[in-house]
Amino acid sequence: MFDRPRSGERALLVRIGIAGAPQPEELTEFESLARSAGAEVLGLITGTRRSPDPRLFVGSGKAEEIREQVRALKADLVVFDHALSPSQERNLEAFLQCRVLDRTGLILDIFAQRARSFEGQLQVELAQLKHLATRLVRGWTHLERQKGGIGLRGPGETQLETDRRLLGKRIKTLNARLERVLTQRETTRRERKRTAVPTVALVVYTNAGKSTLFNRLTGAQAYAADQLFATLDPTVRRLDLPEARRALLADTVGFVRDLPHELVAAFRSTLQEARESALLLHVVDAADPQRRERIDQVNGVLEDIGAGGLPQIEVFNKVDELDEAPRVERDEAGRVRRVWLSAQSGAGCELLLSAVGEFLGPEVVHRHVVLRPEEGRARARFFAAGAVLAERGLPNGDTDLEVCMPRGAFEHLCRTEGLS
């Protein structure tokens, strides 16, 4: 049921403005979503209504126009840029005589194609099943085993009940697996806190250059492309800051307008990286004419996951498309509020690293540590932490290590190893 075709599908798009005409930017994003899912876009039908029709979402006249276009263009799929109720979806499929997909189903399809890690695939399948569970009503009545008539009465289970039972069982299994993944992530986060390495998370409205910036700052090889939801799987890499300081940079899922609640719930372990971070880097497409609306939409999702109160630095990316110079903007108190840069060319990235280091504070110690021969484990831990700048043997057999590392990690290592 969840197999996705390798090739595109012939799709007709529908976007209805409620109490106002659809905005051009919304139509462009909708087309990008459809193409990202692999659809061959045949056309786009727009219109306005005061409120959605309870039966077909659109009026009868608009529904007839859509049906005529489906027949003329030989479309096999109609995609609505709206969340349709199960009954509206069924009624439209019966009226149009072709498959109907709403915005939630479209985004779920994209996520199903892009998820690569085991955790990401579990999260997407869970969201798909929860979405499908609301759309089973009367879908399999031709296979019912409860019938009336002589010789046919008696106990039995309808196909619908069977599907619901199997779906419920699979959802329970996926939740259990994701709980184990969540436990593993919590263990990793506790270890990072124990070593006092701060985490900085990237949050972004999709296709603003998040993965390109992540690769630029960390030297990683995360997939980056000019498409919506190019990457979904969470990644954490070391971030080298000025003055030999270090942090961890977490790449999270990109957000989008009207992000389905099923996805927000399913990706809770991924989004937890943002919620547990010391700082959020809110990446914004500086060339997007709707950047203020995009910022508000991302902040809305952050509120939903409990990360709305975390400190942010807005990173205005793609300044090269505006012919503007990289720069740092500060608020009245002198704190960094916004950094303008180009992740593609790297211009301004050093300003961002300095801003992150400034925010995290000068909590770095630069010391010489003298270790006795029997304290080899402490020496190994300093090297494992990447804190050793130089090593020198002393005449009496001791070792002099020049180390530079976060104060909390230094104090914790010295305490646990019994170093004075």
Side-chain angles (χ1 to χ4, degrees):
M1 182 169 291
F2 297 109
D3 290 342
R4 295 299 186 248
R6 293 185 180 274
S7 59
E9 297 186 49
R10 297 171 58 82
L12 180 64
L13 309 184
V14 179
R15 167 72 183 176
I16 305 298
I18 303 300
Q23 298 298 315
E25 294 80 7
E26 296 175 345
L27 299 178
T28 301
E29 179 188 89
F30 180 33
E31 288 194 45
S32 297
L33 280 173
R35 297 185 194 281
S36 295
E40 178 188 351
V41 178
L42 303 178
L44 174 64
I45 296 178
T46 62
T48 58
R49 282 187 64 85
R50 291 184 179 179
S51 61
D53 179 75
R55 180 172 172 269
L56 295 173
F57 190 86
V58 297
S60 57
K62 183 61 69 174
E64 186 61 42
E65 177 187 346
I66 297 172
R67 182 163 64 178
E68 291 175 0
Q69 286 295 306
V70 167
R71 292 172 178 171
L73 299 173
K74 297 182 180 179
D76 52 18
L77 173 66
V78 175
V79 184
F80 280 74
D81 192 24
H82 310 276
L84 301 176
S85 69
S87 61
Q88 287 171 336
E89 194 171 300
R90 289 194 305 274
N91 293 336
L92 283 166
E93 287 187 343
F95 186 84
L96 302 176
Q97 290 297 296
C98 71
R99 193 154 58 92
V100 173
L101 193 66
D102 68 352
R103 181 181 177 85
T104 300
L106 178 64
I107 295 177
L108 287 173
D109 187 282
I110 297 172
F111 272 54
Q113 296 179 45
R114 302 282 164 76
R116 293 291 179 267
S117 69
F118 175 69
E119 177 187 2
Q121 291 170 354
L122 287 180
Q123 291 168 326
V124 171
E125 185 181 354
L126 177 62
Q128 285 180 315
L129 291 177
K130 288 183 176 180
H131 182 64
L132 181 68
T134 64
R135 281 155 166 75
L136 288 179
V137 181
R138 298 185 62 82
W140 298 87
T141 53
H142 61 289
L143 293 177
E144 283 184 359
R145 283 180 278 165
Q146 288 180 337
K147 297 181 181 294
I150 298 174
L152 296 176
R153 299 183 181 90
E157 183 177 44
T158 66
Q159 185 65 38
L160 175 60
E161 290 169 340
T162 302
D163 291 341
R164 282 177 172 164
R165 177 169 50 80
L166 294 176
L167 274 178
K169 185 177 180 181
R170 180 61 177 166
I171 288 174
K172 184 177 180 181
T173 300
L174 291 176
N175 278 324
R177 291 183 178 179
L178 282 173
E179 285 300 326
R180 289 197 292 270
V181 172
L182 186 60
T183 300
Q184 293 168 358
R185 283 193 169 275
E186 284 294 338
T187 302
T188 303
R189 272 192 287 269
R190 283 197 300 269
E191 180 65 20
R192 293 204 297 259
K193 288 181 179 179
R194 187 180 68 82
T195 56
V197 179
T199 300
V200 179
L202 293 173
V203 295
V204 61
Y205 195 93
T206 185
N207 206 28
K210 169 177 62 71
S211 297
T212 303
L213 180 62
F214 182 80
N215 291 339
R216 176 70 64 178
L217 295 178
T218 64
Q221 299 296 322
Y223 177 70
D226 184 16
Q227 57 183 209
L228 303 183
F229 302 115
T231 56
L232 296 178
D233 299 317
T235 308
V236 179
R237 292 288 184 271
R238 191 179 77 181
L239 181 65
D240 292 322
L241 300 173
E243 300 179 11
R245 285 174 289 176
R246 291 198 177 105
L248 294 174
L249 185 63
D251 190 7
T252 60
V253 177
F255 302 148
V256 73
R257 173 177 55 87
D258 300 329
L259 189 68
H261 292 294
E262 293 95 336
L263 281 175
V264 175
F267 276 76
R268 69 190 189 280
S269 63
T270 301
L271 297 175
Q272 186 81 1
E273 292 290 353
R275 197 168 68 182
E276 297 291 334
S277 299
L279 173 67
L280 300 179
L281 298 183
H282 186 164
V283 185
V284 181
D285 183 350
D288 188 347
Q290 284 194 311
R291 67 191 187 197
R292 178 46 55 188
E293 290 81 357
R294 303 287 188 247
I295 292 173
D296 293 339
Q297 287 153 0
V298 170
N299 287 333
V301 178
L302 292 175
E303 289 287 347
D304 291 341
I305 66 174
L310 293 179
Q312 285 189 23
I313 294 178
E314 291 180 352
V315 182
F316 275 46
N317 188 24
K318 306 184 183 180
V319 296
D320 46 338
E321 298 182 15
L322 300 176
D323 293 327
E324 293 198 27
R327 63 185 186 274
V328 174
E329 294 181 5
R330 298 177 181 270
D331 58 18
E332 296 81 359
R335 294 184 295 264
V336 175
R337 179 74 181 88
R338 187 175 293 129
V339 178
W340 297 70
L341 54 75
S342 170
Q344 189 68 41
S345 66
C349 287
E350 71 285 351
L351 298 177
L352 178 60
L353 291 174
S354 297
V356 173
E358 179 182 325
F359 174 85
L360 296 178
E363 292 296 319
V364 175
V365 294
H366 188 178
R367 300 281 175 82
H368 283 267
V369 180
V370 177
L371 301 176
R372 299 187 300 274
E374 61 269 23
E375 294 175 323
R377 190 177 71 170
R379 173 184 175 277
R381 290 186 62 183
F382 278 117
F383 272 97
V388 179
L389 301 181
E391 181 181 25
R392 182 171 61 94
L394 301 178
N396 63 353
D398 292 347
T399 301
D400 177 16
L401 295 182
E402 182 183 358
V403 299
C404 184
M405 63 190 301
R407 179 178 299 277
F410 176 78
E411 293 176 351
H412 175 79
L413 195 156
C414 292
R415 185 171 59 253
T416 55
E417 293 297 330
L419 305 177
S420 58

